[in-house]
């Protein structure tokens, strides 16, 4: 079936990129100042994807466990940096915490998904390990940005409540629980909404990709279901770990925020 | 017993306390008074570990307050901060939240007990079911005082408990606090009636 895949030629790719002029013109018309950013972002995307495509060819060919793990560690580092850059939190202080949280979330979910669900013979097989890790990480980004922003801005906004609980004998976990709850609710509402309409008003990427790649819809659906559940679980685990590990860097022994 | 021993506290290089010492015996009721900004709330915050003195110690029941003892000390304290708003929807939710903390779970405060304390402070039964936004500042202060009393802690820290109360309610709160016989109370007030009714008052200037 693979032979049926229609390749996209350079000219056709350029035709697709032409679509960018529609949003760019609208952004220019309304003087949003985002035209340059749009083209820079699109340019980066094209360059990064070509680069990764080129690199993945080699990664798949080498298929070395250690290179694959190193690649995922680099992805974790970049993801952590990206998340912190999109928050107003101190990057140097929290970077190790977010890295550790992301890394363990990826390990837990990769082992479970690839080892238990897919039953891969080689857990770190580049063709599965790298794309699945990338997809999980990609989905963690926005949820973690939202969770971190909500959590720390909540502590700042409701400082009276936080101090009131601490001052009346609450443990750090108890005093931070209302803000954890708020962060979870706010960051997971979009994921819940998207999961509940999947297949109705949204055809997910994995499934579409697999069908375009020649898989039967039945196989594509099963992959999609397992991947959706894995992504949902991994984002939750990563948010909990990120908040839990980062708070160790953020509050001193007296419960006072360090920044 | 609470001891402030040779405290030195300064903010932005301006000294607020220099060599400040004070001993409060078990069961004492002490009120701090003095002009705004003199450092009354800072002293309570020192006992709670929210402000660390540059020199000197806060000692509670013979234990020096530091990184390792702060949680033990906070577990002995009921704290009522200066007039403030908590983001709880109802009085019931606010009361329940504080009794759900691990440190207070053993108390098992019943609905009847809550209503008794409410009534001693001149609060009606229906108030318990009301939204927090429906309460006046004075009612909210009395609810908080009732909570502080029910927490059954050895030490009670109260910051301006009568600032939103009328004279009659102030009198009720004064007698209510004085009846906390076994508790050590450190209070802050600008209210002359409140200051005069305490065993001991300390001017902070």
């Amino acid at each position: 079936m693979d032979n049926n895949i229609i390749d996209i030629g350079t000219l056709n790719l350029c035709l697709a990129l032409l679509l960018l002029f529609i949003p760019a013109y609208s952004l220019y018309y309304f003087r949003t100042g985002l035209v340059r950013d749009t083209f820079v972002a699109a340019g980066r995307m094209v360059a990064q994807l070509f680069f990764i495509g080129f690199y993945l060819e080699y990664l798949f060919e080498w298929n070395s466990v250690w290179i694959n793990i190193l690649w995922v560690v680099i992805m974790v580092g970049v993801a952590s940096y990206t998340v912190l850059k999109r928050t107003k939190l101190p990057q140097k202080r929290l970077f190790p915490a977010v890295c550790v949280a992301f890394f363990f979330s990826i390990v837990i979910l990769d082992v479970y998904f690839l080892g238990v669900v897919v039953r891969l013979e080689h857990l770190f097989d580049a063709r599965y390990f790298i794309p699945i890790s990338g997809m999980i990480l990609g989905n963690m980004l926005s949820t973690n940005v939202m969770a971190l922003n909500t959590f720390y801005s909540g502590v700042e906004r409701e400082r009276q409540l936080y101090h009131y609980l601490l001052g009346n004998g609450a443990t750090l976990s108890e005093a931070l629980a209302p803000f954890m709850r708020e962060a979870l609710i706010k960051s997971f509402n979009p994921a819940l909404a998207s999961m509940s309409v999947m297949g109705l008003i949204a055809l997910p990427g994995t499934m579409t990709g697999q069908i375009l790649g020649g898989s039967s819809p039945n196989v594509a659906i099963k992959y999609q279901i397992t991947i959706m559940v894995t992504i949902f679980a991994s984002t939750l685990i990563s948010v909990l770990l990120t908040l839990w590990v980062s708070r160790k860097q953020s509050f001193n022994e007296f419960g006072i925020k360090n920044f | 017993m609470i001891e402030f021993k040779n405290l030195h506290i300064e903010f932005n290089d301006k000294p607020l306390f220099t060599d400040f010492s004070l001993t409060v015996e078990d069961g004492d009721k002490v009120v701090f008074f003095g002009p705004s900004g003199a450092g009354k709330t800072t002293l309570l915050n020192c006992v709670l570990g929210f402000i660390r003195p540059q020199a000197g110690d806060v000692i509670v029941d013979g234990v020096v307050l530091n990184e390792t003892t702060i949680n033990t000390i906070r577990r002995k304290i009921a704290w009522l901060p200066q007039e403030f708003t908590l983001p709880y929807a109802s009085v019931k939710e606010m009361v329940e939240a504080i009794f759900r903390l691990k440190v207070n779970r053993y108390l098992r405060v019943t609905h009847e007990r809550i209503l008794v304390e409410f009534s001693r402070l001149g609060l009606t039964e229906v108030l318990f079911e009301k939204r927090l936004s429906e309460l006046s500042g004075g009612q909210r202060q009395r609810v908080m005082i009732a909570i502080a009393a029910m927490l059954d802690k050895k030490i009670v820290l109260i910051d301006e408990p009568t600032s939103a109360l009328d004279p009659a309610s102030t009198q009720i709160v004064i007698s209510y606090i004085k009846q906390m016989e076994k508790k050590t109370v450190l209070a802050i007030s600008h209210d002359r009636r409140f200051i005069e009714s305490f065993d001991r008052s300390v001017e902070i200037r």
Side-chain angles (χ1 to χ4, degrees), chain B residues 16-198:
Chain B
L16 196 61
F17 291 100
T18 308
D19 210 24
F20 176 85
S21 294
L22 178 77
T23 302
V24 181
E25 298 290 342
D26 281 348
D28 273 5
K29 313 272 183 285
V30 177
V31 60
F32 295 134
F33 68 101
S36 299
K40 303 181 295 294
T41 302
T42 301
L43 284 177
L44 296 196
N45 279 331
C46 278
V47 181
L48 292 159
F50 293 143
I51 290 176
R52 301 289 297 135
Q54 278 79 17
D57 285 313
V58 174
I59 305 169
V60 178
D61 289 341
V63 176
V64 178
L65 189 150
N66 57 34
E67 291 86 347
T68 49
T69 59
I70 181 64
N71 290 330
T72 317
I73 290 174
R74 278 181 187 157
R75 281 197 283 269
K76 295 181 179 187
I77 297 172
W79 175 45
L80 170 58
Q82 206 164 348
E83 199 178 344
F84 71 116
T85 39
L86 292 173
Y88 295 114
S90 66
V91 176
K92 188 170 182 267
E93 197 185 315
M94 181 168 78
V95 174
E96 284 172 355
I98 204 83
F99 286 102
R100 260 201 307 268
L101 300 179
K102 274 183 209 150
V103 67
N104 301 324
R105 267 182 220 157
Y106 76 98
L107 287 169
R108 301 189 192 287
V109 173
T110 60
H111 185 64
E112 288 68 33
R113 165 86 198 279
I114 295 168
L115 297 185
V116 167
E117 298 301 328
F118 272 29
S119 133
R120 285 179 61 202
L121 281 161
L123 299 168
T124 55
E125 204 173 303
V126 287
L127 214 85
F128 189 65
E129 305 293 339
K130 279 198 173 177
R131 301 186 66 76
L132 265 184
S133 53
E134 291 176 88
L135 267 61
S136 68
Q139 285 173 324
R140 212 174 301 161
Q141 271 183 330
R142 280 177 287 164
V143 169
M144 302 293 281
I145 293 169
I147 293 174
M150 285 186 287
L151 283 174
D152 199 29
K153 303 287 181 72
K154 201 177 164 192
I155 298 165
V156 180
L157 307 181
I158 317 177
D159 199 344
E160 298 280 6
T162 57
S163 59
L165 298 180
D166 57 52
S169 303
T170 300
Q171 202 48 55
I172 292 173
V173 167
I174 290 171
S175 6
Y176 187 81
I177 293 174
K178 287 182 93 172
Q179 280 167 32
M180 297 177 177
E181 282 170 10
K182 289 179 184 168
K183 294 178 194 284
T184 308
V185 177
L186 275 189
I188 292 172
S189 184
H190 284 106
D191 190 323
R192 184 56 47 195
R193 288 156 301 180
F194 191 88
I195 298 165
E196 284 169 359
S197 65
F198 266 57

Side-chain angles (χ1 to χ4, degrees), chain A residues 1-258:
Chain A
M1 283 179 89
D2 280 1
N3 296 335
N4 294 336
I5 303 169
I6 301 169
D7 191 14
I8 298 177
T10 314
L11 183 67
N12 304 67
L13 192 61
C14 292
L15 284 176
L17 287 172
L18 275 181
L19 279 175
L20 280 175
F21 282 95
I22 300 171
Y25 178 73
S26 308
L27 294 172
Y28 167 76
Y29 184 82
F30 287 105
R31 296 168 197 268
T32 58
L34 291 174
V35 178
R36 191 174 168 274
D37 288 351
T38 305
F39 283 111
V40 169
R44 276 188 60 171
M45 173 199 64
V46 171
Q48 284 161 196
L49 285 178
F50 268 112
F51 175 74
I52 193 78
F54 176 74
Y55 202 84
L56 281 178
E57 291 274 349
Y58 283 101
L59 277 179
F60 290 172
E61 199 177 313
W62 295 331
N63 205 8
S64 148
V65 171
W66 294 110
I67 293 177
N68 295 348
I69 290 175
L70 180 69
W71 183 252
V72 170
V73 168
I74 292 169
M75 289 202 301
V76 165
V78 175
S80 308
Y81 172 75
T82 311
V83 163
L84 285 170
K85 213 177 154 200
R86 283 163 64 187
T87 65
K88 286 175 185 165
L89 301 169
Q91 295 184 19
K92 271 189 188 167
R93 183 184 284 273
L94 295 181
F95 181 75
V98 178
C99 271
V100 167
F102 275 23
F103 183 74
F104 279 102
S105 312
I106 283 284
V107 168
I108 294 168
L109 269 300
D110 269 346
V111 167
Y112 187 77
F113 181 73
L114 298 175
V116 180
V117 179
V118 183
R119 290 184 178 278
L120 267 192
E121 201 176 325
H122 303 292
L123 197 64
F124 299 105
D125 188 330
R127 199 167 280 278
Y128 288 85
F129 180 58
I130 291 172
I132 296 293
S133 301
M135 196 164 53
I136 293 173
L137 266 177
N139 281 281
M140 281 179 188
L141 295 184
S142 55
T143 319
N144 274 274
V145 170
M146 175 72 93
L148 281 167
N149 276 334
T150 310
F151 179 75
Y152 285 100
S153 63
V155 175
E156 202 56 46
R157 193 184 60 247
E158 300 292 354
R159 203 163 16 173
Q160 287 184 326
L161 169 67
Y162 174 61
H163 281 179
Y164 175 68
L165 293 171
L166 272 186
N168 281 293
T171 61
L172 185 61
S173 296
E174 286 178 318
L176 291 175
F179 311 108
M180 288 281 274
R181 194 178 309 124
E182 193 190 357
L184 284 176
I185 292 170
K186 278 208 175 150
S187 58
F188 275 88
N189 265 339
L192 279 175
S194 114
M195 193 153 74
S196 62
V197 296
M198 192 132 296
L200 280 178
I201 54 171
L203 272 189
T206 314
M207 186 176 146
T208 312
Q210 279 199 311
I211 293 172
L212 287 175
S215 292
S216 87
N218 279 337
V219 175
I221 283 166
K222 280 188 264 181
Y223 262 91
Q224 186 61 53
I225 291 169
T226 51
I227 281 171
M228 274 311 292
V229 174
T230 308
I231 285 171
F232 194 75
S234 64
T235 29
L236 182 83
I237 292 170
S238 70
V239 163
L240 288 176
L241 278 177
T242 305
L243 295 179
W244 188 71
V245 184
S246 74
R247 84 175 196 206
K248 303 256 174 209
Q249 307 293 318
S250 310
F251 299 90
N252 66 17
E253 291 84 353
F254 294 92
I256 306 301
K257 195 146 74 78
N258 290 325

